[in-house]
Short mmCIF file of all heavy atoms in Angstrom, two decimals:
data_model
loop_
_atom_site.label_atom_id
_atom_site.label_comp_id
_atom_site.label_asym_id
_atom_site.label_seq_id
_atom_site.Cartn_x
_atom_site.Cartn_y
_atom_site.Cartn_z
N GLY X 80 112.34 113.73 80.58
CA GLY X 80 112.22 112.60 79.66
C GLY X 80 113.45 112.48 78.77
O GLY X 80 114.20 113.46 78.60
N ILE X 81 113.63 111.31 78.18
CA ILE X 81 114.81 111.13 77.32
C ILE X 81 114.75 112.04 76.09
O ILE X 81 115.76 112.32 75.46
CB ILE X 81 115.03 109.65 76.89
CG1 ILE X 81 113.75 109.08 76.29
CG2 ILE X 81 115.51 108.80 78.05
CD1 ILE X 81 114.00 107.78 75.54
N LEU X 86 108.05 115.17 82.38
CA LEU X 86 107.04 114.14 82.55
C LEU X 86 106.74 113.95 84.03
O LEU X 86 107.65 113.67 84.82
CB LEU X 86 107.56 112.81 81.96
CG LEU X 86 107.95 112.85 80.48
CD1 LEU X 86 108.71 111.59 80.09
CD2 LEU X 86 106.71 113.02 79.61
N SER X 337 111.91 103.40 86.61
CA SER X 337 112.80 104.50 86.19
C SER X 337 112.69 104.73 84.69
O SER X 337 112.68 105.87 84.23
CB SER X 337 114.26 104.19 86.54
OG SER X 337 114.35 103.83 87.88
N LYS X 338 112.59 103.64 83.93
CA LYS X 338 112.51 103.77 82.47
C LYS X 338 111.15 104.33 82.05
O LYS X 338 111.07 105.17 81.15
CB LYS X 338 112.77 102.43 81.79
CG LYS X 338 114.24 102.04 81.85
CD LYS X 338 114.49 100.75 81.14
CE LYS X 338 116.00 100.45 81.10
NZ LYS X 338 116.26 99.02 81.09
N ILE X 339 110.09 103.88 82.71
CA ILE X 339 108.76 104.41 82.37
C ILE X 339 108.74 105.92 82.64
O ILE X 339 108.25 106.71 81.82
CB ILE X 339 107.65 103.70 83.18
CG1 ILE X 339 107.53 102.24 82.76
CG2 ILE X 339 106.30 104.42 83.02
CD1 ILE X 339 106.63 101.38 83.65
N LYS X 340 109.29 106.30 83.79
CA LYS X 340 109.20 107.70 84.21
C LYS X 340 109.88 108.68 83.26
O LYS X 340 109.52 109.85 83.21
CB LYS X 340 109.81 107.86 85.62
CG LYS X 340 108.92 107.29 86.72
CD LYS X 340 109.64 107.33 88.06
CE LYS X 340 108.77 106.79 89.16
NZ LYS X 340 109.45 106.75 90.45
N VAL X 341 110.90 108.21 82.54
CA VAL X 341 111.58 109.11 81.60
C VAL X 341 111.18 108.85 80.14
O VAL X 341 111.77 109.39 79.21
CB VAL X 341 113.13 109.04 81.76
CG1 VAL X 341 113.54 109.48 83.14
CG2 VAL X 341 113.66 107.64 81.44
N GLY X 342 110.18 107.96 79.96
CA GLY X 342 109.70 107.69 78.60
C GLY X 342 110.63 106.79 77.81
O GLY X 342 110.58 106.77 76.58
N ALA X 343 111.47 105.99 78.51
CA ALA X 343 112.41 105.14 77.79
C ALA X 343 111.76 103.82 77.36
O ALA X 343 112.25 103.15 76.45
CB ALA X 343 113.64 104.85 78.65
N ILE X 344 110.67 103.43 78.07
CA ILE X 344 109.90 102.26 77.62
C ILE X 344 108.42 102.65 77.63
O ILE X 344 108.05 103.69 78.17
CB ILE X 344 110.14 101.00 78.50
CG1 ILE X 344 109.84 101.28 79.98
CG2 ILE X 344 111.54 100.45 78.31
CD1 ILE X 344 109.91 100.04 80.86
N SER X 345 107.63 101.77 77.07
CA SER X 345 106.21 102.11 76.89
C SER X 345 105.50 102.38 78.22
O SER X 345 105.69 101.67 79.20
CB SER X 345 105.56 100.95 76.12
OG SER X 345 104.25 100.76 76.57
N LEU X 351 102.09 108.64 82.67
CA LEU X 351 102.86 109.88 82.50
C LEU X 351 101.95 111.05 82.12
O LEU X 351 101.05 110.91 81.29
CB LEU X 351 103.93 109.70 81.42
CG LEU X 351 105.02 108.70 81.74
CD1 LEU X 351 106.04 108.67 80.60
CD2 LEU X 351 105.72 109.02 83.05
#
Side-chain angles (χ1 to χ4, degrees):
I81 52 166
L86 303 168
S337 308
K338 286 182 175 150
I339 293 171
K340 286 173 179 177
V341 298
I344 56 174
S345 145
L351 295 182

